[in-house]
Amino acid sequence: MNDDSPTPPPSSPRLIVIDGPAGAGKSTVARRLAEHFGIPLLDTGAIYRTLALIGQRQGIAWSDGPALGQLTVDFPIAFKTGEVGGRLVQQVLYDGEDVSVAIRTPMISEGASRVSQHSEVRAGLLDIQRALAAGGCVAEGRDMGTVVFPDARDKFFLTASLEARARRRHAELAVSGVELAEVQREVERRDLRDQSRAEAPLVQAADAVVLDSSHLEIADVVDRVIEIIAGRERPA
Ligand code: DC
């Protein structure tokens, strides 16, 4: 393989970044890669979700960029990773409280998309994300390859058709009885907002490898990523 990307020195922590729209399979791919390489997972969407939740609890409007930015100044978020049956399971802790379930509601999905529009919020969360990734990790989000870790070597942009992504989200929410059409509308609305915001919009980094999971099994996407990384690290 003729690939002149620099090979990281053995001492540098491994960093793999995955960006893409909601429902493309990023979380599953990122989790499986973290398991494969034995490194932590950094779910940056969970950080925006936690900010939306804490903002709501403190009576701060999701439209109030300066107040939300202020909230990031001292933002005691932590991830606790455990293993259940060989699978990584991650808890999101805010000031020691497990908020993993509370941040996954449709309302907080909407709130996270809204709070993420503000420059004060994005700037405030930048160092937090970099500090959490310092020891190496698989980082997933919307602007990992473009803004947070522009120097990462292994950047992937995972996408899929709107229909395929809505179907996946619907299957995840199956127990809640939401209609597929409603899920599709929600995904479309969030996509539009995430892609059209002025600050760090969802776009693929010029040097990211784009993978379309519309007609691929998630396991095949994971294999492809592992193969690409192995190709880069194979001695010439
Ligand atoms: O990945 P997710 O669905 O949990 O993310 C929730 C929202 O957070 C998403 O609509 C946009 C925002 N987000 C962001 O702006 N930048 C990131 N790196 C991750 C998420």
Side-chain angles (χ1 to χ4, degrees):
M1 187 173 167
N2 181 14
D3 186 343
D4 55 8
S5 343
T7 302
S11 58
S12 80
R14 181 181 291 285
L15 175 64
I16 302 171
V17 306
I18 307 188
D19 289 307
K26 281 192 314 280
S27 307
T28 312
V29 169
R31 181 173 47 75
R32 293 206 191 159
L33 288 171
E35 286 162 3
H36 175 85
F37 287 104
I39 53 179
L41 174 66
L42 177 60
D43 171 4
T44 60
I47 304 176
Y48 286 92
R49 286 171 179 273
T50 303
L51 185 71
L53 175 74
I54 302 304
Q56 187 185 50
R57 282 187 187 170
Q58 297 192 4
I60 301 171
W62 290 333
S63 57
D64 190 344
L68 290 164
Q70 196 52 39
L71 195 53
T72 66
V73 173
D74 178 20
F75 198 66
I77 192 162
F79 290 90
K80 193 168 147 195
T81 304
E83 215 187 281
V84 178
R87 244 189 88 159
L88 277 186
V89 185
Q90 201 167 50
Q91 277 182 343
V92 185
L93 304 175
Y94 181 80
D95 205 11
E97 177 197 343
D98 183 356
V99 293
S100 323
V101 175
I103 61 170
R104 298 288 163 200
T105 65
M107 180 179 254
I108 295 298
S109 296
E110 178 70 16
S113 176
R114 289 200 188 187
V115 302
S116 71
Q117 309 297 300
H118 306 295
S119 54
E120 299 90 337
V121 165
R122 305 208 72 88
L125 294 181
L126 209 51
D127 285 346
I128 294 175
Q129 295 174 82
R130 290 181 179 151
L132 286 165
C137 67
V138 181
E140 61 133 321
R142 303 291 191 288
D143 60 343
M144 300 295 98
T146 48
V147 177
V148 185
F149 306 110
D151 298 332
R153 181 196 64 176
D154 296 319
K155 299 181 182 179
F156 298 89
F157 191 87
L158 186 55
T159 187
S161 66
L162 174 63
E163 294 72 23
R165 294 186 293 113
R167 265 200 312 277
R168 280 200 196 112
R169 269 283 139 116
H170 184 245
E172 282 168 18
L173 298 168
V175 280
S176 65
V178 205
E179 298 278 320
L180 175 61
E182 192 185 326
V183 176
Q184 183 155 328
R185 275 196 300 277
E186 186 235 297
V187 170
E188 198 170 12
R189 193 172 61 237
R190 267 216 291 155
D191 278 0
L192 196 68
R193 192 184 295 127
D194 293 348
Q195 287 162 358
S196 59
R197 67 179 174 224
E199 289 291 324
L202 170 66
V203 284
Q204 71 202 53
D207 53 350
V209 176
V210 181
L211 298 167
D212 187 328
S213 70
S214 310
H215 306 292
L216 272 183
E217 294 295 330
I218 291 297
D220 296 330
V221 176
V222 174
D223 288 348
R224 183 80 194 105
V225 171
I226 293 172
E227 201 178 284
I228 291 169
I229 294 175
R232 289 175 176 170
E233 294 177 357
R234 210 169 282 136

